[in-house]
Amino acid sequence: MEYHERPASFRQARLNPFDRGEEEGSPPGGKTPSRDELRPELFSSKSRNQSLDRAMDLGLAEDHFSRPVGSFVASDIEQLKMAIEECKRLILELPEHSERQKDTVVKLIHLRLKLQELNDPEEDEPNLRVLLEHRFSKEKSKSVKQTCDKCSTIIWGLIQTWYTCTGCYYRCHSKCLNLINKPCVRSKVSHQSEYELSICPEIGLDRQDYRCAECRTPVSLRGVPSEARQCDYTGQYYCSTCHWNDTAVIPARVIHNWEFEPRKVCRSSMRYLALMIPRPVLKLREVNPLLFNFVEELVEIRKLRQDILLMKPYFITCKEAMEARLLLQLHDRQHFVENNDMYSLQDLIDISSGRLSCSLTEIHTTFAKHIKLDCDRCQAKGFVCELCKEGDILFPFDSHTSMCHDCSAVFHRDCFYDNSTTCPKCARMTERKHDDPPDPKDK
């Protein structure tokens, strides 16, 4: 085995800060007093300042702790720990907000960075890791302070390597990656895109065997050995590591009670709800049809969505509308141009706050203006009431019109009644069908 000579500066840094010999004020004759003998002198300001300078020299000089060939030994880390403790003690004793105290704090930070570098030497970490359907991407941000979802401690981006799952945004230290036992929530969203629609379906701690529903850590309501925290979404109890008292809007409370107050949920429920919130999986007409009788905003939004679906055939056959990409104004709510009965949780939140009504009314006005005023081709696809043969050109999304459900002809609402009035267009089509001779191929 080949040994290398360590630099003189490193050997000097290895010296005990209380043991520097005659160069730094040792007694004549070169005899160095023991640490216990020096302890009373630390309470004098002169001696304390000298000791502080010696302690903070460790790791701050340019050549101190420069990485030599080979590795550091345990005594190097111990000396740094001693210097850090000395720094911390002196910070408390120095005058508050003094310049010397501020300088000492800065030097303490440098010492801690040196200690962290020795404890966790840099290694080449992969940029992408795949574990339990998580796709962990190595983070490059050094200034953002995050909390590790595995060990619940702070991630110091300046000195620690950390990863974030690109699917569910699970964050953890690189050293915690191999300890993860929770699968990615996005896989659950992909395979099971539906909400729990019972309000806080509690089963009780006894059914959970007095253990956390996720990690199986023993819990109790008394907090011994660990506090039991209930998730308002699942109704189950979790430990403080799996439940950080995060809050979220509960879908079941919105659908049944029209209640939007955020409730405490566990970490996995919070991620699941965050990923599900834009997905249109709520069919209110089936889950709670009576809600439309009590929430006027829902009725207004339903009418706007029905009108937009009636406008869609005009746009997909209009060259100008396709070039203007009018339908892309609803790109963040694509389901609005596909159906009128599916809602996302975000839709309901925006309906309650009034934001959706304002934005959708503006889009509805833009669409109607293109069809009725700006585009000649779309105007030519309008209707004339065949019952009264009076008035302007009619469109199916006009508020004063009615449409035949069989042939989609449009009439004035006062002229046409769904069951009591015969549609002239349907009558013509029926008569034409009887007059035309049967096709021999149909026999």
Side-chain angles (χ1 to χ4, degrees):
M1 180 181 296
E2 183 180 358
Y3 294 91
H4 298 271
E5 180 71 15
R6 294 187 175 182
S9 59
F10 181 80
R11 292 197 302 271
Q12 181 181 357
R14 289 281 309 278
L15 293 174
N16 190 299
F18 300 99
D19 187 8
R20 293 296 183 97
E22 294 184 1
E23 288 185 358
E24 300 197 18
S26 62
K31 182 180 179 181
T32 302
S34 66
R35 184 177 178 183
D36 293 333
E37 294 173 348
L38 282 176
R39 180 64 59 183
E41 299 178 5
L42 292 176
F43 292 95
S44 65
S45 60
K46 180 177 180 182
S47 169
R48 181 168 61 248
N49 293 340
Q50 290 177 353
S51 177
L52 174 63
D53 292 337
R54 294 168 187 167
M56 291 186 298
D57 279 343
L58 287 171
L60 298 183
E62 182 178 358
D63 293 330
H64 285 359
F65 289 98
S66 58
R67 192 177 298 277
V69 178
S71 60
F72 290 101
V73 294
S75 60
D76 303 324
I77 296 178
E78 290 301 321
Q79 289 184 28
L80 264 180
K81 288 181 178 179
M82 291 170 54
I84 288 173
E85 291 301 320
E86 183 71 13
C87 250
K88 289 165 62 177
R89 186 182 65 78
L90 291 174
I91 287 174
L92 297 176
E93 296 181 1
L94 288 171
E96 191 76 16
H97 304 301
S98 64
E99 290 298 324
R100 186 162 183 79
Q101 187 188 52
K102 294 178 182 178
D103 293 340
T104 308
V105 171
V106 173
K107 293 179 180 180
L108 175 61
I109 294 174
H110 285 285
L111 286 172
R112 281 179 165 171
L113 291 177
K114 287 289 185 182
L115 179 61
Q116 183 68 36
E117 182 181 354
L118 294 183
N119 287 329
D120 298 324
E122 291 187 4
E123 298 177 357
D124 292 334
E125 298 281 357
N127 291 326
L128 185 65
R129 297 281 298 275
V130 179
L131 294 169
L132 297 176
E133 299 186 350
H134 291 281
R135 292 183 61 84
F136 285 106
S137 176
K138 185 178 179 181
E139 292 291 346
K140 299 180 180 179
S141 174
K142 300 297 184 182
S143 59
V144 180
K145 185 174 71 173
Q146 302 287 353
T147 303
C148 178
D149 284 305
K150 177 58 184 177
C151 64
S152 303
T153 59
I154 294 177
I155 300 174
W156 298 100
L158 184 64
I159 55 179
Q160 292 177 321
T161 304
W162 58 293
Y163 287 81
T164 299
C165 175
T166 57
C168 65
Y169 308 107
Y170 188 99
R171 300 182 183 92
C172 68
H173 299 98
S174 60
K175 63 182 180 181
C176 297
L177 274 180
N178 295 327
L179 304 176
I180 294 174
N181 53 13
K182 301 175 183 178
C184 182
V185 177
R186 182 170 288 277
S187 62
K188 180 182 177 182
V189 173
S190 302
H191 302 146
Q192 182 186 355
S193 293
E194 57 183 21
Y195 287 116
E196 170 61 59
L197 297 182
S198 299
I199 298 178
C200 195
E202 182 178 2
I203 60 174
L205 269 175
D206 55 337
R207 293 281 297 277
Q208 294 183 206
D209 197 24
Y210 294 92
R211 293 180 179 273
C212 171
E214 192 163 307
C215 68
R216 308 305 296 167
T217 299
V219 294
S220 71
L221 294 176
R222 296 182 177 179
V224 180
S226 179
E227 178 189 3
R229 299 178 178 179
Q230 187 179 30
C231 172
D232 197 81
Y233 176 69
T234 64
Q236 296 178 311
Y237 290 88
Y238 299 81
C239 65
S240 57
T241 302
C242 301
H243 193 315
W244 295 4
N245 287 329
D246 299 301
T247 58
V249 175
I250 308 301
R253 295 185 180 274
V254 173
I255 293 174
H256 297 295
N257 299 340
W258 200 243
E259 177 190 337
F260 294 88
E261 180 182 356
R263 302 286 181 138
K264 293 181 179 180
V265 295
C266 65
R267 295 291 291 175
S268 59
S269 294
M270 183 200 68
R271 292 193 190 90
Y272 181 76
L273 292 174
L275 292 174
M276 284 287 291
I277 195 170
R279 291 179 172 251
V281 296
L282 297 172
K283 199 167 187 177
L284 295 184
R285 189 172 59 186
E286 294 182 358
V287 179
N288 186 10
L290 294 178
L291 198 60
F292 289 92
N293 297 337
F294 298 95
V295 182
E296 296 180 359
E297 296 87 346
L298 276 175
V299 179
E300 178 187 359
I301 296 299
R302 182 175 60 181
K303 178 62 171 66
L304 291 173
R305 292 183 62 178
Q306 290 172 348
D307 289 349
I308 289 174
L309 288 179
L310 293 173
M311 296 177 184
K312 180 181 176 180
Y314 291 85
F315 294 145
I316 61 179
T317 57
C318 175
K319 182 179 178 181
E320 294 181 6
M322 296 298 289
E323 292 177 351
R325 299 176 178 269
L326 291 179
L327 288 177
L328 286 182
Q329 294 187 30
L330 289 169
H331 67 91
D332 56 339
R333 303 183 198 267
Q334 189 65 31
H335 53 287
F336 279 16
V337 296
E338 296 173 354
N339 57 72
N340 63 3
D341 55 357
M342 300 299 293
Y343 293 83
S344 68
L345 183 59
Q346 187 64 57
D347 293 338
L348 302 182
I349 293 174
D350 291 342
I351 289 173
S352 175
S353 65
R355 289 193 299 267
L356 183 56
S357 178
C358 294
S359 61
L360 201 57
T361 300
E362 183 178 350
I363 293 174
H364 181 281
T365 303
T366 303
F367 287 1
K369 180 175 180 292
H370 170 84
I371 295 172
K372 301 175 69 173
L373 299 177
D374 297 342
C375 181
D376 294 335
R377 292 187 181 89
C378 292
Q379 289 183 44
K381 297 174 184 177
F383 294 82
V384 175
C385 180
E386 295 187 45
L387 296 176
C388 68
K389 295 182 173 54
E390 295 178 359
D392 299 331
I393 299 175
L394 305 179
F395 295 90
F397 50 85
D398 288 334
S399 59
H400 60 284
T401 61
S402 293
M403 187 172 65
C404 176
H405 296 292
D406 296 325
C407 66
S408 299
V410 180
F411 308 93
H412 289 112
R413 178 176 297 173
D414 296 335
C415 299
F416 181 77
Y417 301 94
D418 294 339
N419 298 322
S420 60
T421 306
T422 302
C423 172
K425 184 176 180 180
C426 289
R428 287 196 307 271
M429 294 172 62
T430 302
E431 183 179 355
R432 188 179 301 120
K433 185 177 181 180
H434 288 308
D435 293 342
D436 291 341
D439 191 343
K441 295 180 180 180
D442 295 337
K443 295 182 179 180

